[in-house]
Amino acid sequence: MRTDAFALRHIGPREEDQQHMFKTIGVKNMDQLLYETFPDGIRLKEDITLDPAMTEYEYLTHITQLGAKNKVFKSYIGLGYHPAIVPPVIQRNIFENPGWYTAYTPYQAEIAQGRLEALLNFQTMVIELTGMEIANASLLDEGTAAAEAMALLFDVRTRDQKKNNTNKFFVSEEILPQTLSVLETRATPIGVELVVGNHETFEASTEFFGALVQYPGKYGQVYDYSTFVANANAKDIKVAFAADILSLAKLTSPGELGADVVVGTTQRFGIPMGFGGPHAGFFATKEEYKRSMPGRIIGVSIDVNGNRALRMALGTREQHIKREKATSNICTAQVLLAVMAGMYAVYHGPKGLQYIADKVHASAVTTAKALASLDINQVNSSFFDTLLVKADAEKVKAIAEKNEFNFFYPNQHCVSVSFNETTSLADINTIIAIFAEAAGKSAIHVSELATETHIPSNLIRTSSFLDHDVFNNHHSESQLMRYIKKLERKDLSLNHSMISLGSCTMKLNAAAEMLPLSQSNWNNMHPFAPADQAQGYLTMLKKLEEQLNVITGFKGTSLQPNSGAQGEYAGLMAIRAYHESRGEGHRNVCLIPSSAHGTNPASAAMAGMKIIVTKTTPEGNIDVEDLRARAIEHAANLSCLMVTYPSTHGVYESTIIEITNLIHENGGLVYMDGANMNAQVGLTNPATIGADVCHLNLHKTFAIPHGGGGPGVGPICVNEKLVDFLPTNPVVATGGKNAISAISAAPYGSALVCLISYGYITMLGAEGLKEATQHAILNANYMKTRLEEHYPVLYSGEMGRAAHEMILDCRSFKQQGIEVGDIAKRLMDYGFHAPTVSFPVAGTLMVEPTESEDLAELDRFCDALISIRKEIAEANAENPNNPLKNAPHTLAMLTADSWDLPYSREKAAYPLEYIAENKFWPSVRRVDDAYGDRNLVCSCAPIEAYMES
């Protein structure tokens, strides 16, 4: 046994277990299983070639040496990214804790109450600081949140505005440059015309439906937007604010200034810069727009006993249901980062946030006063944290970098300096000395912070915020540590048991992959730092792109998309740009099989495409003849096909090359959804099956943790046709020769967590990656064999095998009065999170074990489902008082004085012997979703505020 081989630690089944698994399946070895699973025509003829696999020790040595190439200067660049202090209690207990970072999206609310409470805190924090009525549980970053605001305001236009096709959206020239680039990308396909200009000279007219302003402006000026908002509202123009969240502890809230939407990032609330991400964007608006809000909202409801219970609210807004009618394709949020930012507010409380904001402002004021005394001109008349200094930028830059300080240089005559919570008096004196030297003057020394303010009295915040107990009771480390642990105990994560979610690939997130994220030379880098200071990052990211090129068989990769849905959109926009470059911009028809992910049609709609849904056969495969008919019918305007491979039904379709050839013959390109890439790596690839572009979910196939619903990364890999169109960034150029504008705010998206996938690939190597795929297929087929005697498996390949996942058909159980949701809730009593429920087929469970799970855990899960199947057989539709309908069973139920159910307490809580060893207790009973939607509460309100009389 090679104890230093990372594959041994990552892959679950031991060598001695495999023979038992092969025997159960009915094959002699792995080669026979793959032969019976995999269409021969798509197998790679030769193994992929990567560097030899590193051991964990070798990798950690390597990544530390690589990190040393990053020069972490003091960062005063700003532009939406600031050094932040991560409270160690939050770093150790959340950021570095698998109980938090390995959880799944809280679709099963009863075993996610801790995370849901943490997100409710985040929403409350955002609502109160922005002065708005409702907020969601995070978006991807500030730039994409601003684009979502534009889309929402476009969606909620007045009846007359829609009738008159009012489509102009005003954007203040004070907006952050990366936000403007994302807006440019998103506006054109949906028919929005951007008008960028000076908000002070803007003439409101009925040609506009909305506007976006920056608060404070990109170089620090604080504007009073109340008159602008009033003039806009007079013409039925709704106004969105992109706001700095820390400034809102000191400035009048956008809500009080009349905002309709407020967006931004919570990065400076205790989240590392990480060379651009991941960071939790925020989105707040008026309650009247709740049905058009993007993303997820956490709401307060009750369980069947009437006790307070949290859950995701207003689920019908999700793009999976709206599909091509969706106004957003948001799928991944930034839950882990939102939890951290919310906990930062819990830890510091309102007085702590005010203290931090006052200190940041005082640092800026102190520096401005000192520079003024040296006759160095600072041009902002009102500011919170950023000074715009008139100076010789080239001289200042040379001196600053000699002192290991970074500023931002808008032009050769100006220097922008943004202060942050890490700023010390020593830093302030160094900054003063840098400007003095550049001006040929003697520096002065300051020994204390100024007490005056540079904010107009009418813009100084007077309204209170964060009055709830949760923000005022956890200010010592002991208190916060125990509060975090209290919430963690309410959540089921991968550190408790396997999470077998089909299409979501909840695999091991190895500690060796995670450790570098805590190193300061990786997590303290500003995304706009000079390239010569970021050589460690640029080397790692380039190497990861090359690794992904090899794995996919493609020529180029962009790491910028910071979620799978963003990757879909980026791929489609690259296809759109390709057709336009050839004078074929009319090609706008996107063919999508009916079995596709809901994000596929939503992304295509956002990319301005006309969606044609094609049929699937009774076996769950793409109906090739229907696809042929649609492709020929729309050949003149065919843009692309969106296809998932293996299929969403968990099958390797043998006709895939025929399908991709058919699209190419009719002038289109093929976009492959990479959701199921865990069943391809090392055995086949998107290039081999004939795709032109794919996105990869790094948080699925390449081991980035799900974090309770994010972070995610969704890079796109493209062939030579599309490599010139990979996206760029307006501050740091990336992408191809004819790059499309930005997809997300940072040049390399969520660069920090790309370290995880780089580690995963580097430590597995080519052979380990192939073994991982083989074992994902082995585990799935082992479970299929064990379960198909008890549950019909809806689809399988031509020789009866599954790919890496399978669909269990539970629809016939309605005869016993049992719905698939009842099985999901009963699994909680057995200590498991449910597989994917009712997707892609209603009334089914989609199971994906991944390669990380060992034989004992696979058997435990199978035993649980088999035991539940026996319970289903005992159920009676006319008498629904049974363990499935009453599930989950809480500790409070089991320890109550009375027990009036027709089965024993033991059967309720301990239906199998293994459960007693490691019992996980759901903290609430079944949540009443309908009640929560009827009585929508999305912040920390007492129960009396929403209970029905």
Side-chain angles (χ1 to χ4, degrees):
M1 183 173 78
R2 268 202 63 191
T3 58
D4 60 354
F6 178 71
L8 177 79
R9 308 306 188 184
H10 175 78
I11 295 170
R14 303 296 84 188
E15 205 170 310
E16 57 270 22
D17 295 330
Q18 292 177 26
Q19 293 309 314
H20 166 74
M21 298 172 78
F22 291 142
K23 185 176 179 181
T24 302
I25 294 169
V27 295
K28 293 180 181 178
N29 51 36
M30 186 69 77
D31 287 342
Q32 184 182 349
L33 176 61
L34 293 177
Y35 171 78
E36 294 180 5
T37 304
F38 227 85
D40 189 57
I42 64 166
R43 284 290 296 270
L44 294 177
K45 302 298 183 260
E46 297 178 358
D47 288 340
I48 60 173
T49 303
L50 295 168
D51 292 340
M54 291 186 189
T55 67
E56 289 188 353
Y57 181 78
E58 288 170 340
Y59 173 71
L60 290 172
T61 302
H62 159 74
I63 207 67
T64 300
Q65 292 171 344
L66 196 57
K69 295 183 178 181
N70 292 324
K71 302 173 186 174
V72 183
F73 287 9
K74 298 266 187 177
S75 181
Y76 289 84
I77 296 170
L79 291 183
Y81 303 96
H82 304 268
I85 297 171
V86 185
V89 62
I90 294 175
Q91 176 171 324
R92 174 60 60 89
N93 291 288
I94 296 177
F95 187 59
E96 297 173 346
N97 181 352
W100 285 95
Y101 67 67
T102 69
Y104 182 59
T105 306
Y107 287 116
Q108 297 296 330
E110 296 82 359
I111 51 175
Q113 289 295 298
R115 208 167 343 116
L116 289 165
E117 180 171 329
L119 291 175
L120 193 73
N121 294 342
F122 174 85
Q123 289 179 179
T124 303
M125 172 191 84
V126 170
I127 288 168
E128 299 206 356
L129 284 168
T130 61
M132 301 307 288
E133 295 169 350
I134 190 170
N136 68 18
S138 80
L139 290 180
L140 301 173
D141 57 29
E142 180 167 334
T144 54
E148 296 290 347
M150 175 183 70
L152 177 141
L153 296 180
F154 191 56
D155 187 51
V156 301
R157 289 174 297 168
T158 66
R159 185 174 299 176
D160 283 345
Q161 285 173 333
K162 289 180 179 178
K163 179 181 175 183
N164 296 325
N165 194 28
T166 303
N167 73 334
K168 287 187 177 181
F169 186 71
F170 174 77
V171 181
S172 167
E173 59 195 17
E174 288 288 327
I175 209 75
L176 296 176
Q178 65 270 26
T179 299
L180 178 59
S181 187
V182 175
L183 289 170
E184 289 168 348
T185 307
R186 294 277 287 272
T188 302
I190 61 172
V192 170
E193 180 184 342
L194 293 184
V195 178
V196 182
N198 186 331
H199 74 271
E200 294 179 308
T201 59
F202 170 64
E203 292 187 16
S205 77
T206 55
E207 293 181 319
F208 292 84
F209 68 87
L212 175 67
V213 295
Q214 191 84 40
Y215 185 60
K218 62 183 174 182
Y219 302 135
Q221 179 69 33
V222 175
Y223 295 98
D224 181 351
Y225 289 113
S226 52
T227 301
F228 175 86
V229 172
N231 291 339
N233 289 170
K235 298 292 185 180
D236 271 336
I237 301 170
K238 299 178 179 70
V239 181
F241 280 53
D244 178 284
I245 195 159
L246 183 61
S247 76
L248 300 184
K250 192 132 185 93
L251 299 178
T252 301
S253 72
E256 293 170 282
L257 296 177
D260 293 283
V261 184
V262 187
V263 300
T265 174
T266 57
Q267 180 267 315
R268 66 192 311 178
F269 274 21
I271 310 298
M273 288 187 291
F275 207 50
H279 308 137
F282 67 84
F283 190 107
T285 187
K286 296 178 176 178
E287 190 157 342
E288 65 188 280
Y289 304 141
K290 64 189 177 187
R291 291 284 170 185
S292 296
M293 274 187 76
R296 299 166 181 153
I297 303 171
I298 307 309
V300 183
S301 188
I302 57 175
D303 70 7
V304 294
N305 286 351
N307 296 316
R308 181 178 185 268
L310 308 177
R311 29 72 85 179
M312 293 206 302
L314 301 180
T316 53
R317 292 166 14 272
E318 293 234 11
Q319 76 291 331
H320 291 85
I321 295 163
K322 285 189 173 182
R323 296 174 73 85
E324 66 269 17
K325 294 183 174 62
T327 55
S328 169
N329 70 341
I330 286 295
C331 186
T332 309
Q334 297 282 25
V335 170
L336 183 68
L337 297 314
V339 167
M340 290 176 65
M343 244 9 126
Y344 180 92
V346 169
Y347 194 40
H348 291 303
K351 292 179 182 177
L353 292 183
Q354 286 172 327
Y355 168 79
I356 294 166
D358 285 342
K359 181 173 175 285
V360 169
H361 182 58
S363 298
V365 172
T366 302
T367 307
K369 278 182 66 180
L371 293 178
S373 71
L374 295 172
D375 292 324
I376 297 172
N377 187 25
Q378 191 286 124
V379 302
N380 288 335
S381 57
S382 173
F383 56 84
F384 166 63
D385 67 351
T386 300
L387 308 178
L388 188 60
V389 184
K390 288 288 187 182
D392 185 322
E394 191 174 335
K395 278 187 180 178
V396 171
K397 187 173 189 290
I399 299 165
E401 291 184 1
K402 184 176 67 178
N403 285 273
E404 298 192 347
F405 273 64
N406 284 332
F407 305 137
F408 186 70
Y409 306 94
N411 56 54
Q412 60 186 2
H413 304 298
C414 286
V415 181
S416 176
V417 184
S418 292
F419 294 82
N420 60 78
E421 69 169 321
T422 72
T423 301
S424 65
L425 275 170
D427 294 336
I428 291 170
N429 281 303
T430 302
I431 292 169
I432 294 166
I434 289 167
F435 280 99
E437 183 180 343
K441 300 184 178 184
S442 298
I444 63 168
H445 183 84
V446 298
S447 57
E448 59 182 7
L449 294 178
T451 55
E452 63 263 44
T453 180
H454 270 256
I455 299 170
S457 57
N458 65 311
L459 287 180
I460 293 177
R461 182 165 193 144
T462 57
S463 57
S464 64
F465 58 92
L466 304 188
D467 294 328
H468 304 283
D469 288 348
V470 73
F471 298 106
N472 293 280
N473 289 342
H474 306 290
H475 301 327
S476 75
E477 180 164 333
S478 294
Q479 289 170 319
L480 188 68
M481 177 179 65
R482 290 169 186 151
Y483 178 59
I484 291 170
K485 179 56 69 173
K486 172 188 167 186
L487 298 190
E488 182 193 339
R489 284 198 303 264
K490 296 181 179 182
D491 279 16
L492 190 148
S493 301
L494 270 175
N495 64 343
H496 187 277
S497 59
M498 75 182 286
I499 299 178
S500 62
L501 286 149
S503 189
C504 292
T505 318
M506 298 288 290
K507 67 204 300 176
L508 172 72
N509 315 121
E513 297 158 5
M514 303 296 294
L515 285 173
L517 276 63
S518 294
Q519 295 177 2
S520 62
N521 51 12
W522 289 111
N523 65 30
N524 279 340
M525 288 292 295
H526 193 290
F528 302 148
D532 64 349
Q533 296 173 24
Q535 286 305 298
Y537 254 117
L538 296 176
T539 300
M540 181 273 292
L541 294 169
K542 184 173 186 291
K543 185 66 176 178
L544 177 58
E545 289 175 356
E546 291 170 353
Q547 290 170 332
L548 296 178
N549 289 344
V550 170
I551 289 167
T552 59
F554 283 145
K555 185 177 180 181
T557 292
S558 169
L559 297 167
Q560 191 177 115
N562 48 11
S563 81
Q566 292 285 84
E568 289 180 20
Y569 181 70
L572 293 174
M573 291 300 288
I575 289 173
R576 177 187 169 107
Y578 167 79
H579 287 311
E580 288 176 346
S581 75
R582 293 160 53 87
E584 295 186 321
H586 59 275
R587 288 190 173 274
N588 68 341
V589 170
C590 179
L591 302 181
I592 304 179
S594 60
S595 61
H597 288 105
T599 48
N600 287 179
S603 297
M606 285 174 53
M609 294 183 176
K610 180 182 178 183
I611 294 142
I612 304 294
V613 178
T614 68
K615 297 176 182 176
T616 52
T617 67
E619 295 75 33
N621 298 326
I622 292 173
D623 186 326
V624 178
E625 292 314 308
D626 182 65
L627 182 71
R628 188 187 313 279
R630 301 286 81 76
I632 293 170
E633 177 187 354
H634 298 284
N637 297 306
L638 182 60
S639 174
C640 60
L641 166 74
M642 297 187 80
V643 62
T644 302
Y645 200 78
S647 75
T648 308
H649 293 151
V651 174
Y652 294 98
E653 297 184 42
S654 58
T655 56
I656 186 63
I657 292 179
E658 180 185 356
I659 287 167
T660 56
N661 286 341
L662 178 61
I663 300 303
H664 291 144
E665 288 165 6
N666 287 281
L669 299 184
V670 176
Y671 169 90
M672 193 204 83
D673 185 311
N676 293 340
M677 192 69 191
N678 208 45
Q680 284 196 39
V681 179
L683 297 179
T684 186
N685 60 37
T688 297
I689 70 170
D692 299 281
V693 52
C694 73
H695 89 267
L696 301 172
N697 298 92
L698 298 191
H699 49 289
K700 296 182 181 182
T701 303
F702 297 97
I704 290 176
H706 284 65
V713 178
I716 56 169
C717 304
V718 300
N719 63 13
E720 61 283 348
K721 294 178 184 175
L722 297 175
V723 74
D724 285 349
F725 305 103
L726 291 173
T728 189
N729 177 278
V731 183
V732 176
T734 59
K737 296 175 186 174
N738 300 306
I740 60 174
S741 47
I743 294 295
S744 63
Y748 298 96
S750 294
L752 180 63
V753 289
C754 286
L755 277 166
I756 302 167
S757 297
Y758 175 67
Y760 172 82
I761 296 169
T762 301
M763 287 187 284
L764 279 177
E767 186 59 32
L769 288 169
K770 185 166 77 169
E771 286 180 21
T773 305
Q774 291 171 336
H775 283 84
I777 295 168
L778 173 64
N779 285 359
N781 281 281
Y782 175 76
M783 291 183 71
K784 176 179 179 290
T785 304
R786 282 209 62 194
L787 292 172
E788 61 190 353
E789 297 175 36
H790 310 277
Y791 296 84
V793 175
L794 200 53
Y795 305 112
S796 57
E798 293 174 2
M799 301 181 75
R801 302 300 179 200
H804 64 314
E805 62 190 6
M806 77 211 77
I807 298 174
L808 306 181
D809 191 352
C810 305
R811 291 172 291 187
S812 64
F813 304 150
K814 289 185 179 182
Q815 296 173 8
Q816 277 84 32
I818 301 301
E819 303 286 343
V820 68
D822 300 323
I823 301 173
K825 303 308 179 191
R826 182 58 172 153
L827 270 168
M828 298 175 191
D829 292 328
Y830 287 79
F832 286 107
H833 193 292
T836 303
V837 175
S838 288
F839 175 82
V841 179
T844 65
L845 294 171
M846 184 159 64
V847 181
E848 179 183 355
T850 84
E851 71 277 8
S852 305
E853 301 303 339
D854 60 79
L855 177 59
E857 187 71 357
L858 299 177
D859 281 335
R860 271 192 292 273
F861 185 76
C862 289
D863 290 345
L865 276 179
I866 291 167
S867 177
I868 288 172
R869 180 64 185 91
K870 292 172 183 174
E871 293 175 353
I872 294 169
E874 296 167 359
N876 186 330
E878 296 176 3
N879 182 16
N881 198 4
N882 60 57
L884 284 106
K885 285 296 184 184
N886 291 325
H889 299 82
T890 62
L891 183 60
M893 288 177 68
L894 269 291
T895 56
D897 291 338
S898 61
W899 179 266
D900 57 1
L901 298 177
Y903 49 91
S904 70
R905 297 179 199 239
E906 183 180 24
K907 185 175 180 65
Y910 301 105
L912 290 176
E913 193 173 318
Y914 75 82
I915 298 169
E917 297 176 13
N918 188 26
K919 176 66 179 174
F920 178 86
W921 291 101
S923 53
V924 297
R925 294 196 64 197
R926 198 172 301 198
V927 177
D928 187 335
D929 291 329
Y931 179 93
D933 281 349
R934 289 197 310 272
N935 304 273
L936 186 64
V937 174
C938 300
S939 61
C940 300
I943 193 82
E944 295 77 19
Y946 68 93
M947 288 289 286
E948 291 178 328
S949 57

